[in-house]
Amino acid sequence: MTARTPAVIGGLSTLDRFLPLWIGLAMGAGLLLGRTVPGLDAALEAVKIGEISLPIALGLLLMMYPVLAKVRYDRLDAVTADRRMLPASLVLNWVAGPALMFALAWALLPDLPEYRTGLIIVGLARCIAMVLIWNDLACGDREAAAVLVALNSIFQVVAFGALGWFYLQVLPGWLGLSQTALDVSMWDIAQYVLIFLGIPLIAGYLSRELGERTRGREWYESRFLPRIGPVALYGLLFTIVILFALQGETITSRPGDVARIALPLLAYFFLMFGGSFLAGRMIGLGYERTTTLAFTAAGNNFELAIAVAVGVFGVTSGQALAGVVGPLIEVPVLVALVYVSLWGRRLFRGKETVHA
């Protein structure tokens, strides 16, 4: 992304400033293509990585690489030494987030077990991809985002299956509610983490190492990064078009179900972001790390959630539809929260730091 004055929205580039418009157009274009082009969904699904369409995988890799190339990896030790942010992130992501989604799903979808299960799976899939875009747009701490995303990835591999068992079988049993089995292996989760985080992370690290070694940091940050920066947003828009093209018919043919699924999702994103933002302020974090804490807690890994729902319950299942509706709601809401975050920067005057 291009250089901008962090505190002033008017200083954003044209691409950044009108991002909600571009995202709206991308979503509309995807839905229209999915409804009007015969056989498009079959063509896009013809080549897959696991249960994820190859075009979506390519879009995600393009989206994540420029952001990870911006990270100053020699500063990561300052992030890992932060004894306030890391524990707060773990609690928000792996205790508060899944519990909140479980509560909202049962409270608002008591009569729709398939959608309820799908939303609980979304709540278990902590964000490792698009959060880097939202964090960067809101001028969060890039190094902290990289650390928290890596931490989420490790916990995702280890804890996803166990948490799925707990929230879909054990806890409902304790509460006298209906139970659902979730059969997913650690390798199923690990392969998505390795593909969607490992590849762009290695590419970003090598870009900085080789670029600074051969041309220097000044050239790398003032010449190279501005050239590749817009690729992240182009990758985001491409991913959105493909995603909604694949699911356009499902979404537009069941508007009532989409609306029911959207309600707990809307509540979840606003409550998680607002609560995490206030938590960061209360424990004494500056604006940049508070913003990173809030976005990493509020975002979800929709790629993983959709893949698990499709793999376990089938592509036409209600669980899969709930996973698909996730980004339909998450993308515009978290874009809006970028602007809310920038507005909230005034709460941190005198405490903020500025990253390059």
Side-chain angles (χ1 to χ4, degrees):
M1 272 152 273
T2 54
R4 55 195 183 276
T5 303
V8 183
I9 293 175
L12 296 171
S13 71
T14 300
L15 184 62
D16 291 347
R17 191 182 312 127
F18 296 103
L19 183 60
L21 173 62
W22 311 139
I23 285 178
L25 291 173
M27 292 167 67
L31 292 172
L32 184 63
L33 287 171
R35 292 286 292 181
T36 60
V37 179
L40 179 63
D41 56 345
L44 292 174
E45 287 276 23
V47 183
K48 292 185 176 182
I49 297 178
E51 291 296 332
I52 297 295
S53 166
L54 181 59
I56 289 180
L58 292 174
L60 290 169
L61 295 176
L62 286 174
M63 180 179 72
M64 294 179 67
Y65 163 67
V67 180
L68 289 168
K70 291 180 179 180
V71 172
R72 290 183 174 177
Y73 293 92
D74 57 347
R75 294 183 178 178
L76 294 185
D77 58 340
V79 178
T80 56
D82 192 331
R83 296 183 179 180
R84 296 168 298 173
M85 185 183 66
L86 293 182
S89 178
L90 288 175
V91 171
L92 288 168
N93 272 286
W94 298 102
V95 179
L100 177 61
M101 188 68 89
F102 176 88
L104 290 170
W106 271 100
L108 298 176
L109 300 174
D111 57 328
L112 297 170
E114 289 191 358
Y115 298 156
R116 184 176 64 237
T117 297
L119 286 182
I120 291 172
I121 292 172
V122 170
L124 298 177
R126 311 313 299 170
C127 195
I128 67 169
M130 284 191 180
V131 69
L132 297 171
I133 294 285
W134 315 136
N135 178 74
D136 215 44
L137 287 170
C139 305
D141 188 316
R142 292 173 187 144
E143 287 70 39
V147 169
L148 296 187
V149 162
L151 197 63
N152 272 351
S153 301
I154 295 169
F155 268 76
Q156 206 140 234
V157 173
V158 175
F160 187 94
L163 287 174
W165 169 72
F166 177 76
Y167 280 105
L168 293 174
Q169 291 188 275
V170 176
L171 186 56
W174 290 350
L175 300 176
L177 305 171
S178 61
Q179 299 166 288
T180 304
L182 181 64
D183 182 19
V184 58
S185 71
M186 288 179 61
W187 170 242
D188 291 333
I189 310 303
Q191 64 178 325
Y192 292 109
V193 172
L194 289 172
I195 292 168
F196 296 123
L197 178 63
I199 292 174
L201 181 61
I202 292 170
Y205 175 79
L206 291 177
S207 293
R208 182 170 281 279
E209 281 293 303
L210 295 175
E212 290 190 358
R213 186 177 301 172
T214 57
R215 304 292 293 273
R217 174 164 289 187
E218 174 64 25
W219 173 87
Y220 183 83
E221 296 194 343
S222 64
R223 301 290 295 277
F224 180 73
L225 289 182
R227 289 177 184 173
I228 67 168
V231 172
L233 293 185
Y234 297 145
L236 171 65
L237 297 176
F238 174 78
T239 303
I240 291 169
V241 170
I242 299 299
L243 179 66
F244 285 93
L246 283 169
Q247 304 294 340
E249 184 173 356
T250 302
I251 291 171
T252 56
S253 64
R254 300 160 77 176
D257 290 354
V258 170
R260 288 290 305 273
I261 296 169
L263 287 176
L265 283 169
L266 284 169
Y268 172 85
F269 291 130
F270 283 111
L271 287 172
M272 279 301 297
F273 183 87
S276 301
F277 200 85
L278 290 175
R281 181 72 174 80
M282 290 175 63
I283 63 176
L285 298 179
Y287 169 78
E288 292 185 342
R289 290 194 175 177
T290 293
T291 296
T292 300
L293 182 70
F295 277 106
T296 51
N300 291 89
N301 187 353
F302 73 82
E303 310 91 359
L304 175 60
I306 292 173
V308 169
V310 169
V312 176
F313 301 102
V315 70
T316 60
S317 65
Q319 291 89 342
L321 177 61
V324 169
V325 174
L328 174 69
I329 305 302
E330 178 176 356
V331 170
V333 167
L334 291 191
V335 170
L337 290 174
V338 168
Y339 292 90
V340 172
S341 182
L342 290 170
W343 176 86
R345 188 173 188 137
R346 66 191 67 190
L347 301 174
F348 295 84
R349 284 175 181 161
K351 295 186 176 184
E352 66 224 338
T353 58
V354 177
H355 65 250

